[in-house]
Amino acid sequence: MTVKLLHQFWHRWGRLTNLPAIVLVPLAIGTTSAVVTGALLGVRQLGWLQPLELASYDQMVQSRPDQPPDARLLIVAITEADIKAQKRWPLSDSTIATALQKLQQQNPRVIGLDLYRDLPQAPGNAELSKQLQQPNVITITKIQDTDDFGVDPPPGVPADRISFNDIVSDPDGVIRRSLLFANTDQATLYSFSLRLAIAYLQHQGIAPQSGLLDETNLRLGTAEFIPLESTSGQYQTVDARGYQILLNYRSRRNVAHQVTLTQVLDGTVDPNWVKDKVVLIGTTARSAKDTFLTPYSHAEAQTASMPGVVIHAQVVSQFLSTVLDHQPLFWFWSDWVEDVWIWVWVVMGASLAWSIRHPLGLCLAITIATTALLISCDAIFQQEGWVPTAAPLVGVIVVATLAVSYRAQQSHRQQMMMMKLLGQNTSPEIATALWKSRDRLLKSGKLPGQRLTATMLFTDIRNFSTVSEQMLPEHLLDWLNEYLGAITQEVKASQGIINKFTGDGLLAVFGVPVNRTTPVEVSHDARLAVECALAMGDRLQQLNQDWQARGLPTIQMRVGIFTGPIVAGSLGGKDRLEYGVIGDSVNIASRLESYAKERQSGVCRILIARETLVHLQDIFVVEPWGRLALKGKQQTVDVYQVLGRTENSRPDSTES
């Protein structure tokens, strides 16, 4: 088989693409990147990537270190123990009034009551009404919606101290946003946390103002709160009605100092924790069912859910930190910047996928790229920026998968085309060897020699010249092809490969192109070669019977077999190469086949040397011919003729 055919194949394939590799790779990168980026942006706009982006958001929230408790806040938690101590739920008006009175004695700046008190809970209704008239007490209502009838605020409380405590959740039930304002048929309501923050900031001389970027925005001091839209950040289909901002959690547990209702009633709370503070009163008891999922919920069992009063404290702390501590609010890129960000990462993934061919190298490069992406997004998130994470990550993985799949498909397709081309001229084994070594072959133009131990089998037709004189050339060709086709089938059936045809004969090799590393493997090849020669003889007898019936010449054949070291590789020059086998072992096999041509009685004469006999383990009947001086050999060779199989080795023999 000429290796030149391999070069011809790649030349034909190159003409199909009609472009050099230096152009093909950038073109593949650009095309793949454009298609994947376009598909990603479309899928992203439909909101299908939003769950992944929200999951990555939660991971980045969890990775941030907790800030210390906000000293400006105090949470009065109504625990299960408090409810048991009071022996009732809802708590009586008297209990709430007493708690408010004791807290007021310690001069809080503002108190937020995160409890519904629309209905009297005797006793103590008058005492509670008196406490709710204090100008620093903020009460709550629940906005009426389509699912319920809402909850009215406590009677007699002025509108500027009434707020709603509704909490908005994302489609997965996690609280990531805070609703600041809500419009009803009667008025625009403030959220509970915003009322508390404004009341606290008024003592600092800070009041709500119109925004500078947009006069409809809320501005407190120098901080302008830009409302979320349905596509802000990585949201795509979120309900952004009202005036919402992204909630910036301060801590997963200790957002502020926390005391129990019983401690307040007993007067054991440190006055410094109350004076000039924002005090939030609400339930943390699980039986009250006022808990919510947060970005921390999937990380730890202890933070599976967060009480509503603690979430309100998180929002109040965010307001105060933004206005007084100049903590930045979350920011987002514009749509076109996010699109470019996604495209850049997809191009990077495509560049790696198309440039790195080795699977392990590509896997390592993609791992490094995705790690760099995640680190970059997390670093930006630590600076309060929420940029696309899942979209470029999916893009890198998809573009790498597509490139690898395409390359594998093309490689398989090219291999099949090349195997078809090579298979017309050589055995599948040699074609496979050439394919596996294609990189070295195309680089150097030849396959390096490989030292192997193999068994060579030479065949030839006795008195072929006489036969050829009796037939027309076209009839001779058909007759010869019938013969060669038959013995070729026997070679393949015996797991040998045909290295080349020699006119009326052939050279078959047992043991290439894969190196035999053990004596057992070498012996197996030798036995297969002898079995093949015997099968050729049987097949020739059948052919002779058929030819005789058809009036065609009958023939005899000779076979020479030798086992020994050879070198297999490319033979020839630049313009024509062959996959060949060379070595003294090849020469001896050829000389055995041609030795004493007249000395033949049967239809197929098989001569082997001792170097092959030692591998046969007495499974064949042989006749020694002695040490013979073969043509062109200075040293004699111990030669044997194979007469057939022993009785025990015959396929139809049975053990007695």
Side-chain angles (χ1 to χ4, degrees):
M1 159 56 204
T2 60
V3 178
K4 185 177 181 180
L5 288 173
L6 184 61
H7 291 282
Q8 292 174 351
F9 166 76
W10 289 111
H11 178 66
R12 294 175 187 176
W13 184 255
R15 285 192 301 175
L16 289 177
T17 60
N18 202 30
L19 288 172
I22 195 172
V23 177
L24 277 175
V25 172
L27 180 61
I29 293 173
T31 303
T32 310
S33 302
V35 171
V36 172
T37 302
L40 272 177
L41 296 181
V43 170
R44 182 170 177 261
Q45 189 172 9
L46 293 174
W48 295 353
L49 293 179
Q50 181 173 285
L52 294 178
E53 294 288 5
L54 295 181
S56 66
Y57 172 91
D58 293 347
Q59 290 294 326
M60 290 185 289
V61 169
Q62 295 167 22
S63 68
R64 300 194 329 179
D66 289 346
Q67 299 182 46
D70 194 331
R72 296 166 295 209
L73 277 65
L74 175 68
I75 297 175
V76 177
I78 301 174
T79 65
E80 294 286 1
D82 294 328
I83 294 174
K84 290 180 180 179
Q86 296 299 319
K87 298 180 180 180
R88 62 176 295 177
W89 182 260
L91 300 177
S92 68
D93 290 347
S94 175
T95 300
I96 301 301
T98 301
L100 290 173
Q101 180 183 10
K102 287 183 175 291
L103 289 170
Q104 291 286 16
Q105 292 173 356
Q106 298 173 348
N107 300 316
R109 188 169 294 185
V110 59
I111 298 176
L113 184 62
D114 187 25
L115 296 172
Y116 296 124
R117 309 307 291 185
D118 56 324
L119 299 175
Q121 301 292 333
N125 180 252
E127 290 86 345
L128 179 58
S129 296
K130 179 180 179 180
Q131 290 298 323
L132 295 181
Q133 296 304 314
Q134 298 295 323
N136 65 341
V137 176
I138 306 297
T139 60
I140 62 169
T141 182
K142 180 173 178 56
I143 302 173
Q144 180 177 344
D145 55 30
T146 57
D147 296 329
D148 56 49
F149 298 99
V151 178
D152 293 330
V157 178
D160 62 351
R161 291 194 286 109
I162 296 175
S163 61
F164 64 85
N165 73 332
D166 298 71
I167 295 176
V168 294
S169 63
D170 284 339
D172 57 359
V174 176
I175 308 302
R176 301 183 184 91
R177 294 170 288 138
S178 175
L179 181 62
L180 275 58
F181 300 101
N183 295 319
T184 66
D185 295 336
Q186 293 78 24
T188 297
L189 297 178
Y190 285 60
S191 70
F192 181 56
S193 53
L194 180 58
R195 281 289 189 197
L196 293 174
I198 290 175
Y200 183 90
L201 293 172
Q202 283 178 342
H203 290 263
Q204 310 288 118
I206 299 174
Q209 294 178 296
S210 298
L212 299 177
L213 300 175
D214 188 325
E215 63 179 10
T216 62
N217 291 347
L218 169 66
R219 181 164 61 93
L220 293 172
T222 60
E224 185 167 343
F225 297 85
I226 301 174
L228 289 174
E229 298 179 359
S230 59
T231 58
S232 293
Q234 307 322 303
Y235 286 120
Q236 297 298 325
T237 59
V238 71
D239 182 1
R241 289 177 297 176
Y243 196 116
Q244 303 178 30
I245 62 172
L246 203 59
L247 202 165
N248 195 345
Y249 284 87
R250 184 182 187 91
S251 170
R252 69 191 67 204
R253 298 189 189 91
N254 302 319
V255 63
H257 294 301
Q258 186 169 310
V259 298
T260 65
L261 176 64
T262 300
Q263 289 176 298
V264 173
L265 296 176
D266 293 343
T268 59
V269 178
D270 186 345
N272 292 324
W273 285 14
V274 181
K275 185 178 180 181
D276 292 329
K277 303 298 190 293
V278 178
V279 180
L280 297 92
I281 304 175
T283 177
T284 60
R286 290 191 175 275
S287 61
K289 298 181 180 179
D290 186 32
T291 58
F292 302 87
L293 296 176
T294 71
Y296 302 109
S297 296
H298 299 294
E300 301 179 24
Q302 296 179 357
T303 57
S305 58
M306 187 176 289
V309 66
V310 177
I311 291 179
H312 292 306
Q314 299 272 12
V315 182
V316 174
S317 178
Q318 179 180 359
F319 280 124
L320 300 185
S321 298
T322 300
V323 177
L324 301 178
D325 303 336
H326 305 290
Q327 175 181 293
L329 291 165
F330 276 107
W331 51 268
F332 322 108
W333 283 333
S334 60
D335 290 343
W336 73 268
V337 176
E338 291 185 344
D339 294 348
V340 171
W341 169 261
I342 295 172
W343 174 76
V344 167
W345 284 101
V346 172
V347 169
M348 181 182 299
S351 301
L352 294 173
W354 286 106
S355 302
I356 302 175
R357 301 186 62 90
H358 196 282
L360 291 179
L362 177 58
C363 183
L364 178 61
I366 293 298
T367 300
I368 294 174
T370 54
T371 302
L373 168 63
L374 296 176
I375 292 175
S376 300
C377 292
D378 187 67
I380 295 173
F381 190 81
Q382 303 306 320
Q383 303 301 317
E384 319 303 332
W386 189 21
V387 301
T389 303
L393 180 62
V394 170
V396 170
I397 295 174
V398 168
V399 76
T401 302
L402 287 177
V404 171
S405 299
Y406 176 81
R407 185 181 292 148
Q409 181 186 20
Q410 290 300 97
S411 179
H412 178 72
R413 198 159 144 203
Q414 293 168 7
Q415 183 179 9
M416 292 301 101
M417 292 175 64
M418 193 190 78
M419 289 302 182
K420 183 178 180 181
L421 179 64
L422 296 178
Q424 298 170 0
N425 298 271
T426 189
S427 67
E429 291 82 359
I430 291 182
T432 301
L434 293 175
W435 173 257
K436 292 181 178 179
S437 303
R438 63 191 181 279
D439 292 335
R440 289 184 297 168
L441 176 61
L442 295 175
K443 181 177 180 180
S444 62
K446 61 177 64 177
L447 291 174
Q450 183 181 16
R451 185 176 178 85
L452 305 168
T453 298
T455 298
M456 274 60 61
L457 182 152
F458 268 96
T459 71
D460 196 17
I461 296 176
R462 183 184 182 191
N463 297 326
F464 177 72
S465 298
T466 303
V467 174
S468 62
E469 292 177 353
Q470 302 172 6
M471 303 178 68
L472 294 175
E474 56 270 23
H475 295 163
L476 176 65
L477 183 62
D478 292 339
W479 175 81
L480 184 60
N481 283 336
E482 186 177 356
Y483 163 74
L484 292 175
I487 63 174
T488 296
Q489 291 177 359
E490 299 302 333
V491 172
K492 291 183 177 180
S494 299
Q495 305 175 32
I497 66 172
I498 297 175
N499 180 254
K500 62 181 177 180
F501 291 101
T502 59
D504 57 326
L506 56 79
L507 166 60
V509 187
F510 296 78
V512 297
V514 180
N515 188 18
R516 296 332 193 213
T517 58
T518 66
V520 174
E521 293 175 329
V522 174
S523 297
H524 182 66
D525 289 333
R527 290 194 295 272
L528 287 176
V530 176
E531 288 283 2
C532 178
L534 291 172
M536 287 178 178
D538 295 339
R539 189 68 174 270
L540 182 55
Q541 286 184 346
Q542 297 174 6
L543 287 173
N544 280 335
Q545 292 175 3
D546 182 57
W547 288 338
Q548 187 175 18
R550 292 157 53 190
L552 296 174
T554 59
I555 58 172
Q556 294 176 311
M557 65 182 296
R558 298 185 301 272
V559 177
I561 300 175
F562 187 84
T563 303
I566 60 168
V567 174
S570 296
L571 295 175
K574 179 179 180 181
D575 295 330
R576 180 173 179 81
L577 295 175
E578 289 186 355
Y579 182 86
V581 292
I582 61 173
D584 192 49
S585 299
V586 180
N587 298 332
I588 295 176
S590 176
R591 297 295 181 262
L592 287 171
E593 175 272 315
S594 61
Y595 180 78
K597 296 181 179 182
E598 72 288 346
R599 187 176 175 182
Q600 180 170 352
S601 58
V603 69
C604 180
R605 188 194 75 180
I606 305 171
L607 294 185
I608 65 173
R610 173 170 288 278
E611 285 79 357
T612 300
L613 180 65
V614 296
H615 297 289
L616 303 184
Q617 299 178 351
D618 298 328
I619 61 177
F620 299 100
V621 178
V622 298
E623 177 185 73
W625 280 26
R627 299 196 66 85
L628 304 177
L630 302 180
K631 182 179 178 181
K633 300 295 296 179
Q634 295 182 355
Q635 296 181 352
T636 58
V637 177
D638 198 0
V639 179
Y640 299 82
Q641 180 179 0
V642 178
L643 302 179
R645 303 173 183 86
T646 61
E647 287 297 326
N648 292 335
S649 68
R650 293 182 185 275
D652 57 350
S653 65
T654 57
E655 293 182 3
S656 57

